[in-house]
């Protein structure tokens, strides 16, 4: 027996979850969630598959990863549509399958490259080898807003490093990830090298606690990360985390204001309806251009095309669930009743033809105090705060006054200022006159409570390799 949006135990160790399409509030399909028994089987299969994977020559592994990238390429449209069904992201924005293809091609190139070095040692002529080896099986836990993006940033490097992967998408967004699992089989990867196990918190916990897991790559919220780290402690399993953000977007008075307004809108409330770790939810504007910027910015945001996520013209879709809609509306109401700032745009649930879906108007507050809850807590919805600053010093001080440190954005035409400010910002990525355009060359990740470790680049690859030192005595 199932009920909308809920998981129910069928009494045979299997849990069927009824997925709700956020754009209509109607059932979309059912998914069998993995529990401890399924995780056990996935680990067993992964162990055998990893042995097979690591005994292949490096060029064979490289070619299989390229074959997988080719198959993903052939299914880009299908994966994009599945992403839409997963979480109602507008198809105009559902580009994470392309990201997956790019990461697979990039990291395939690492598979056959040298990974170790040999060095001299003090006091002898011994041979000292420093090698990098896989952990074995990586448990990859994804948030609902990015199963394919996380498959890109974690599965691709984990495979290139010689690991097997158990990919656990959220029960709220399982479809594209499940299809990716099928494509891995079709590409000819050893069976079980990539297992996709959609699960809720219970299945996720079973994965984290499994003694056969070599490392966990967790992407999600800080509260869940604390539970994952505590559970992983039982086996001292290492965990790399990619967490939330409250990113600052600093608009200096020399910025191209039209570009800054467009960028701030699409990096802010319009980006997956603000449901992105990279959402620039705090917009800091230099006093002299505050009014001019706000006019332009509110104009761009108000011009968003709200509608059916499958319509290529739509630029603004629903939030993930009824619970998320309630939480976001509560955040807005609290900010209004506390006098946190001026409500410049939005603030309501969208009705009419879209009333059954979970649509919240893109919402802009002006004159917000950075110390307020609105400015400090991750809303994960289409709500942004605009605030004023006087000079560089104050901009940096406000931007850094948060427990998060994922992204920061700077809009300026002054090259010296761009460098000066970027160096002082406490964030893993700083984007100057640019969107958060994640690339396989990365690295991407957080300072402070936005996470540990990096995805992308050689730093991202090294998250999935452990170092071994071999010393050969020369006598
Ligand atoms: P969440 O923390 O609720 O869930 C993340 C994943 O953890 C899901 O798959 C969930 O099923 C699983 N999970 C829940 N409880 C668990 C447990 N006890 N043990 C193991 N797994 C468990 O996050 P969400 O709502 O899915 O995603 C939104 C959050 O993710 C936001 O905070 C967002 O900023 C963050 N995020 C970060 C990045 C990044 O790269 N830094 C990218 C996307 C999303």
């Amino acid at each position: 027996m199932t009920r909308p949006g809920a998981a129910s135990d069928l009494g045979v160790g299997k849990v069927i979850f009824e997925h709700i399409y956020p754009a209509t509030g109607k059932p979309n399909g059912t998914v069998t969630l993995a529990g401890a028994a399924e995780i056990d089987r996935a680990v067993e299969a992964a162990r055998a598959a990893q042995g097979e994977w690591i005994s292949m020559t490096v060029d064979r592994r490289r070619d299989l990863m390229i074959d997988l990238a080719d198959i993903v390429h052939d299914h880009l449209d299908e994966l994009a549509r599945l992403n839409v069904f997963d979480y109602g992201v507008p198809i105009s924005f559902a580009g994470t399958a392309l990201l997956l293809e790019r990461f697979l091609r990039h990291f395939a190139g690492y598979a056959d490259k040298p990974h170790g070095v040999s060095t001299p040692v003090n006091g002898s002529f011994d041979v000292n080898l420093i090698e990098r080896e896989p952990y074995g099986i990586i448990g990859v836990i994804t948030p609902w807003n990015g199963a394919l993006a996380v498959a890109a940033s974690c599965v691709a490097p984990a495979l290139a490093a010689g690991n097997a992967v158990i990919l656990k998408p959220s029960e709220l967004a399982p479809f594209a990830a499940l299809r990716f699992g099928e494509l891995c089989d079709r590409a000819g990867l050893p069976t079980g090298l990539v297992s996709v196990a959609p699960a809720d918190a219970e299945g996720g916990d079973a994965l984290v606690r499994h003694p056969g897991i070599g490392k966990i790559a967790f992407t999600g919220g800080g509260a869940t990360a604390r539970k994952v780290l505590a559970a992983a402690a039982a086996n001292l399993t290492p965990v790399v985390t990619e967490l939330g953000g409250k990113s600052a977007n600093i608009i200096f008075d020399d910025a191209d204001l039209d570009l800054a307004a467009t960028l701030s809108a699409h990096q802010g409330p319009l980006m997956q309806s603000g449901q992105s770790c990279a959402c620039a939810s705090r917009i800091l504007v230099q006093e002299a251009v505050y009014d001019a910027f706000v006019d332009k910015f509110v104009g761009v945001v108000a011009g968003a095309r709200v509608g059916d996520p499958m319509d290529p013209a739509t630029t603004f879709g629903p939030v993930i669930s009824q619970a998320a809609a309630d939480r976001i509306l509560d955040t807005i109401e609290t900010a209004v009743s506390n006098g946190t700032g001026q409500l410049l745009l939005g603030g309501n649930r969208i009705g009419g033809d879209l009333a059954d879906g979970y649509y919240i108007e893109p919402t802009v507050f002006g004159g917000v105090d950075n110390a307020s809850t609105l400015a400090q807590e991750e809303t994960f919805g289409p709500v942004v705060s605009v605030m004023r600053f006087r000079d560089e010093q104050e901009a940096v001080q406000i931007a850094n006054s948060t427990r998060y440190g994922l992204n920061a954005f700077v809009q300026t035409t002054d090259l010296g200022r761009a460098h000066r400010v970027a160096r002082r910002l406490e964030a893993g990525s700083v984007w100057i006159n640019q969107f958060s355009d994640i690339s396989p060359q990365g690295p991407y990740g957080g300072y402070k409570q936005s996470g540990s470790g990096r995805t992308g680049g050689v730093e991202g690859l090294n998250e999935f390799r452990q170092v071994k030192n071999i010393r050969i005595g020369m006598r």
Side-chain angles (χ1 to χ4, degrees), residues 141-146 150 153 168-172 199-208 218-225 227-228 231 241-245 275-278 378 380 404 406 444-446 450 455:
I141 299 179
T142 83
W144 57 260
N145 73 332
V150 173
S153 63
K168 188 211 90 60
S170 164
E171 75 278 22
L172 298 177
D200 54 15
E202 193 184 321
D205 185 64
L207 179 62
V208 173
F218 173 81
T219 307
T224 313
K227 292 182 195 162
V228 166
T241 57
E242 294 278 345
L243 309 176
Q275 303 167 113
S276 163
C277 59
E378 190 182 39
F380 225 59
Y404 294 109
L406 193 57
Y444 186 75
S450 287
T455 59

Side-chain angles (χ1 to χ4, degrees), residues 127-140:
V127 175
N128 192 45
L129 302 177
I130 301 166
E131 301 198 337
R132 292 187 182 271
E133 297 190 336
Y135 282 89
I137 306 172
I138 307 293
V140 176

Side-chain angles (χ1 to χ4, degrees), residues 48-84:
Q50 199 257 338
E52 196 182 329
W53 185 236
I54 208 70
S55 54
M56 287 180 189
T57 58
V58 287
D59 46 324
R60 178 76 186 128
R61 275 189 262 152
R62 176 204 61 204
D63 290 349
L64 280 169
M65 287 187 67
I66 293 171
D67 289 349
L68 177 58
D70 289 342
I71 289 180
V72 167
H73 178 82
D74 292 342
H75 291 79
L76 286 180
D77 289 344
E78 183 193 350
L79 289 167
R81 283 200 307 280
L82 288 170
N83 250 332
V84 176

Side-chain angles (χ1 to χ4, degrees), residues 290-414:
Y290 183 89
D291 292 337
F293 170 80
V294 166
D295 273 359
K296 288 176 190 284
F297 171 64
V298 168
V300 179
V301 175
R305 290 281 297 269
V306 184
D308 174 4
M310 279 295 179
D311 180 345
T314 296
T315 57
F316 186 83
V319 298
I320 182 69
S321 63
Q322 178 67 49
D326 291 344
R327 176 180 50 74
I328 295 161
L329 287 169
D330 186 56
T331 300
I332 295 170
E333 277 165 31
T334 306
V336 170
S337 62
N338 287 351
T340 297
Q342 302 91 46
L343 182 60
L344 302 176
L345 186 73
N348 303 299
R349 183 143 183 181
I350 297 175
D353 292 350
L354 301 174
D356 289 340
Y358 310 128
Y359 287 83
I360 309 279
E361 291 172 340
T363 299
V364 180
F365 282 89
V368 173
D369 178 355
N370 189 56
S372 65
T373 306
L374 185 66
Q376 290 295 319
E377 299 297 328
E378 190 182 39
T379 308
F380 225 59
V383 184
V384 293
S385 306
V386 189
M387 46 195 97
R388 297 169 194 266
F389 67 88
R390 283 185 303 277
D391 52 21
E392 267 181 43
Q393 173 71 18
E394 191 182 28
V396 170
Q397 182 267 320
I398 296 173
N400 289 343
S401 296
T402 163
R403 67 178 187 278
Y404 294 109
L406 193 57
N407 293 279
F409 301 83
V410 181
Q411 320 301 327
T412 179
T413 51
D414 179 335

